[in-house]
Structure formats: C-alpha cells, structure tokens
Amino acid sequence: MSEPIRVVVTGAAGQIAYSLLYIIAKGDVFGPNQPLILHLLDIPVMMDVLQGVVMELADCALPLLHEVIPTADPAVAFKDVFAAFLVGAMPRRQGMERKDLLSANVKIFKEQGEALDNYARKDVKVLVVGNPANTNALVCSKYAPSLPPENFTAMTRLDQNRARAQIAEKAGVPVSCVSNLIIWGNHSSTQVPDASHAKVMKNGTTMSAADAIQNDSWLKQEFVETIQKRGAAVIAARKMSSAMSAANAAADHMRSWFMGTSNDEFVCMGVMSDGSYGAPKNVVYSFPITIKNGKWSIVQGLKIDDFFANMMNLTGQELEEERKEAFSVIQA
Ligand SMILES: NC(=O)c1ccc[n+]([C@@H]2O[C@H](COP(=O)([O-])OP(=O)(O)OC[C@H]3O[C@@H](n4cnc5c(N)ncnc54)[C@H](O)[C@@H]3O)[C@@H](O)[C@H]2O)c1
Ligand SMILES: O=C(O)C[C@H](O)C(=O)O
C-alpha cells in the first residue's frame, strides 16, 4: 500500500462535506489502495460541530483513513495537500442567482489561494465547489501565482450528471447507457447543456441522443432549461441547496482527474480558458475534457451549431462580468 496523501475539504462542518467526507474516506475517489490523511477546515465558530464530524468519521472505522486533522487555520489545513475540495462558502437561498454570492464568498477564495500558494504541494489538484464556482476558481488561481493555473478547476460535473440523467430518462435507458453530455461555460443559469455530442446505447446500438430521443425541440428547450434551473428547483423543494448530489459530483470530478478518463469518454470541468470554441480567455469556463496521467485537455474539433454558439457567447460574457465584479469586490 502506498504512502498516505493529504486531502483538504473546506466547509467541513457543512452539508455537502457531510456526504463528501465519507465518500472520500472510504476510498471511492483515490482508490481502495490509497491511504488518506484528511484535513478538515471550517471557521472558528463551527469547531464544536466539526468535532462531531470527526467523531463520526472515527466511528466509521475506515481502513484507509490514517488521520483526521480538524482546524480553523488555513496554514494547517493546506499544508502539503495533494488535493483540495474547496466547498466552504455561503450557499444561495431561494430567489438568488449564484453570482449574488460573489460579494460574500470571493474573499474566501482569495485567502485560500494565498494559503494554497504558501503551503500546498505544487502539484495540488484544486476543485472549487463554493459558488459562484467558476469565478471563485479564477480568483483562487490568481492569488496562487506559484501554482500552475491548470491546477485550478470548478465543478460543473453536477450539471453534467443532471444532464445525463435527464437524457437517460427521456431515451428510456439506464443512465449507464448515456455518455458525453457537455456543459459549456458558467455554473449558472446561463450554462449551456448540450446533448449534440452525447452517445446513447439503445437496443444494443450506440446512437446520438437526437436519434435516441427523436425530439429536437425538447433537446433545445425543455432539456436545456431543466438543467439550467435544476439547482434552483432543488432549493425550492428542499429549502436548502443540493448536497448529496453535489458531494457525489465533487467525488466524480476528482476521481476522473486522479484516475483519468476512459478511451472515448469525456467529462466536464471548469478550467482556465485558452479561448477554445471562441470562449473568452482568462476566465474559468466549462469545457468537455479528457484526462491522462493527471493532466486534463480540452476536447477539440467538436462541431457547434449557431443555436449553441450564441448561448456559449452569452455565458462567456457573464463570466467576464463576474470577473470584473470579483476583482472590484476584492480591491474595495
Ligand atoms: N458547484 C456546484 O455544483 C455546487 C453544488 C452545490 C452547492 N454548491 C455551493 O457549495 C457551497 C457550500 O454549500 P453547503 O450546502 O455545503 O453550505 P453549508 O452552509 O452547509 O456549509 C458551508 C460551510 O462552509 C463553512 N465556511 C464558511 N466560510 C469558510 C471559510 N472561510 N473557510 C472554511 N469554511 C468556511 C461554513 O461555516 C459552513 O460550515 C455553497 O456556496 C453552495 O452554493 C456548489
Ligand atoms: O443551485 C445552487 O445554488 C447550488 C448548486 O450550485 C446547484 O447547482 O445545485
């Protein structure tokens, strides 16, 4: 068995972390042969609650979990970490857009970027979950100048999983028969859920989602809106934002990054844009991604029709606006 790796989860006393910590600690992200030391960061007022989480992790008696370090000190939390799940941030309430959280949350990601820069391993893999996730990831990267920008990613895997589930239901197949859904752009209501390149295995044959579903207007309207508004629908029903599915998606994202993607599979992640597909540069934009040996690449050469190209421009513009607002909040 290999040496333990250090993994930090921020917002460790919160609702996403409550599901995520168990998934990580039992080996479902870094594999069944990888021991772990979990660093749990939350704010000072949450330390008593965090002790309860520490007790529960101990009571799970998980063989891979070698040590748990609860702390409110970023210097301790980020020391020598191999992977960072940045979950800790305020969630939105009903009626808010995720970008309404910018002023409350963006400074957290500035401070944590600085802490990662000072204390983490230089190859640390950072996943930002806290909203607005894309712009928080951008800020975090900018405040960690000694770390390569490709170490910073934002979570759109929840949107991709949602899209996959909706396509599977409409096509009447199990979710395992659906792959390669794309989420372009921002994890916001301007995101672009695109099933044009999805593959569906139906009646023993692999076909496009369009052939499997045979309803183009559903694919361009109801499907798109359902995914764009799914987070808000969960909040309206639960009176709290998604947690179990968010934790599952965070685990999926980091597992794909650590283990790689299979041959013709791609996954979606918010990554530093290089301008592919006409996206603005210097924003964290969600693209289809393949991963090999821990390095991600944007899938190139996919054909985009005008309908999706227009939407992709709009979500890119929103990210540029968020970037401007984020840095003015930090500098204020
Ligand atoms: N990207 C996505 O797909 C996605 C999905 C679901 C939720 N989210 C976002 O994830 C975030 C967390 O959601 P939640 O439901 O777990 O919220 P929560 O309120 O249950 O937990 C957040 C935790 O973060 C802690 N925290 C606040 N500031 C911190 C700091 N500076 N350092 C460390 N911890 C800090 C809080 O004390 C709290 O324990 C929210 O911003 C939410 O909108 C994103
Ligand atoms: O919608 C939210 O605010 C939470 C999260 O981003 C989600 O998509 O469920």
Side-chain angles (χ1 to χ4, degrees):
M1 203 168 259
S2 42
E3 283 296 297
I5 52 171
R6 294 176 183 273
V7 175
V8 62
V9 177
T10 75
Q15 52 150 4
I16 294 176
Y18 194 71
S19 295
L20 177 60
L21 288 168
Y22 175 65
I23 302 176
I24 299 170
K26 77 193 240 283
D28 282 359
V29 177
F30 300 101
N33 298 313
Q34 180 57 65
L36 300 163
I37 298 173
L38 274 181
H39 295 205
L40 311 185
L41 179 69
D42 213 294
I43 52 177
V45 71
M46 296 303 284
M47 288 301 107
D48 287 348
V49 175
L50 194 55
Q51 273 310 325
V53 176
V54 173
M55 285 188 248
E56 286 208 63
L57 279 168
D59 296 349
C60 289
L62 296 165
L64 292 173
L65 190 55
H66 283 208
E67 193 180 348
V68 179
I69 302 175
T71 182
D73 180 355
V76 174
F78 291 104
K79 181 75 182 145
D80 295 334
V81 291
F82 170 87
F85 293 82
L86 304 189
V87 179
M90 190 191 282
R92 68 173 165 157
R93 294 180 302 279
Q94 203 165 350
M96 293 169 80
E97 286 294 331
R98 296 179 187 92
K99 63 185 166 195
D100 298 335
L101 296 168
L102 255 182
S103 55
N105 287 343
V106 78
K107 287 187 180 157
I108 297 174
F109 293 87
K110 170 185 179 280
E111 284 162 18
Q112 293 184 354
E114 291 165 342
L116 282 158
D117 201 48
N118 286 327
Y119 304 111
R121 283 171 50 147
K122 294 300 171 201
D123 60 352
V124 61
K125 290 177 164 54
V126 181
L127 163 60
V128 175
V129 175
N131 277 320
N134 300 54
T135 300
N136 288 337
L138 177 77
V139 166
C140 204
S141 166
K142 295 294 174 201
Y143 283 90
S146 75
L147 303 178
E150 55 268 26
N151 292 18
F152 292 83
T153 63
M155 189 163 98
T156 53
R157 185 62 168 264
L158 176 54
D159 310 289
Q160 188 185 24
N161 286 347
R162 288 168 172 164
R164 196 175 171 205
Q166 292 295 319
I167 294 291
E169 190 185 332
K170 190 75 173 174
V173 298
V175 81
S176 57
C177 294
V178 179
S179 60
N180 292 3
L181 269 300
I182 302 177
I183 305 297
W184 301 101
N186 200 1
H187 174 63
S188 76
S189 53
T190 68
Q191 67 177 264
V192 187
D194 176 2
S196 322
H197 306 278
K199 290 193 253 171
V200 178
M201 169 80 92
K202 194 171 180 182
N203 305 327
T205 310
T206 301
M207 59 185 83
S208 66
D211 285 346
I213 288 171
Q214 309 225 339
N215 187 341
D216 278 353
S217 73
W218 182 85
L219 282 168
K220 287 198 161 151
Q221 286 170 25
E222 198 178 324
F223 164 71
V224 168
E225 281 177 27
T226 299
I227 306 309
Q228 287 175 328
K229 296 180 183 162
R230 187 68 160 190
V234 170
I235 293 171
R238 253 170 54 86
K239 313 297 172 218
M240 283 195 292
S241 65
S242 63
M244 174 174 53
S245 57
N248 174 65
D252 285 349
H253 176 122
M254 193 62 85
R255 185 189 312 108
S256 296
W257 200 356
F258 185 68
M259 305 277 190
T261 48
S262 55
N263 278 346
D264 46 7
E265 172 204 20
F266 49 73
V267 294
C268 288
M269 287 166 45
V271 298
M272 198 65 72
S273 169
D274 61 354
S276 291
Y277 296 98
K281 289 186 182 171
N282 199 24
V283 297
V284 170
Y285 193 98
S286 177
F287 291 103
I289 296 285
T290 53
I291 302 163
K292 210 169 176 193
N293 300 325
K295 304 275 176 219
W296 55 260
S297 319
I298 297 171
V299 176
Q300 297 294 339
L302 298 175
K303 213 161 162 264
I304 311 292
D305 75 15
D306 288 349
F307 175 83
F308 287 117
N310 286 336
M311 291 177 70
M312 286 162 69
N313 279 338
L314 290 178
T315 195
Q317 280 166 24
E318 182 182 54
L319 282 167
E320 291 180 305
E321 286 157 19
E322 282 187 19
R323 177 180 62 200
K324 194 167 164 210
E325 191 185 333
F327 287 100
S328 71
V329 167
I330 288 171
Q331 276 142 25

